[in-house]
Amino acid sequence: MTSSSSSVLDLAPVVPVVVLEDAADAVPLARALVAGGLPAIEVTLRTAAALDAIEAIAAEVPDAVVGAGTVISARNVSDTVAAGARFLVSPGWTDPLLDAMKASEVPFLPGVSTTSEVVALLERGVSEMKFFPAEAAGGTAYLKALSAPLPQARFCPTGGISLASAPTYLALPNVGCVGGSWMVPGDAVAAKDWARVERLAAEAAALRG
């Protein structure tokens, strides 16, 4: 994904990473997140309900910018874009996957966890990426170390990030936003407690004033 004013990295300080078992929860959940100030929503392809969830959010929540996460194949790219995904996120990347994401003409964040992967993406003209799994791969110390030799790379770190640790990431010059799931806790989704989700989303949206 190349830098632009419409960059996913600039929509909100936090991109909720959503795992939905029931597509019927997609629209009320997305509305709660948008109301809380988090319009960019990554629905992961970890469940059978994911494509239906993306399609429902795209159709019924116009203020949401719904994306697909855990995109690991060209088929995932075509299926999610057809469902209405407006951005794509992968945990890692290969040349065929990168080619498919580029061909989709939808913004994308390929996943990286090493310096060599970052350099390889920069060679391919991609300067915005997901840093995953963030905490396990070195966290803020690793990203800070990357910023000096590779200042043109910008990241959305995801994986093990919490409300408490997010501000440390967001303070880094090469971090545009963070991904996390703490504002969509499984018990709140199961209980359909959308008011709680909205409160947690508002708390996350306030991390960058």
Side-chain angles (χ1 to χ4, degrees):
M1 180 173 168
T2 54
S3 294
S4 72
S5 59
S6 60
S7 167
V8 174
L9 296 186
D10 299 323
L11 285 171
V14 180
V15 175
V17 178
V18 174
V19 180
L20 284 168
E21 300 292 343
D22 184 351
D25 291 333
V27 168
L29 177 66
R31 286 179 177 151
L33 290 169
V34 170
L38 300 180
I41 302 168
E42 176 188 333
V43 177
T44 72
L45 299 182
R46 299 180 201 174
T47 67
L51 284 175
D52 288 339
I54 291 169
E55 190 168 10
I57 295 169
E60 298 182 47
V61 192
D63 292 334
V65 181
V66 65
T70 324
V71 173
I72 58 171
S73 69
R75 175 68 181 270
N76 287 163
V77 172
S78 57
D79 286 351
T80 54
V81 172
R86 292 168 61 185
F87 66 94
L88 307 171
V89 184
S90 69
W93 67 278
T94 62
D95 284 319
L97 178 58
L98 190 67
D99 289 342
M101 290 194 292
K102 280 190 163 190
S104 75
E105 298 187 350
V106 171
F108 59 90
L109 296 171
V112 296
S113 60
T114 69
T115 309
S116 294
E117 291 170 324
V118 175
V119 172
L121 282 177
L122 291 172
E123 279 188 351
R124 296 286 302 271
V126 178
S127 61
E128 297 190 349
M129 34 200 106
K130 171 178 177 171
F131 179 59
F132 177 83
E135 287 287 284
T140 53
Y142 194 95
L143 285 170
K144 188 174 182 180
L146 283 181
S147 65
L150 301 169
Q152 64 272 54
R154 292 180 75 216
F155 301 95
C156 173
T158 304
I161 297 175
S162 65
L163 179 67
S165 62
T168 314
Y169 281 94
L170 292 167
L172 296 174
N174 56 350
V175 170
C177 63
V178 299
S181 55
W182 74 85
M183 76 299 298
V184 284
D187 59 342
V189 176
K192 304 189 190 306
D193 188 351
W194 310 126
R196 181 181 168 204
V197 171
E198 183 178 339
R199 285 195 304 272
L200 292 170
E203 199 175 32
L207 287 174
R208 180 181 290 146

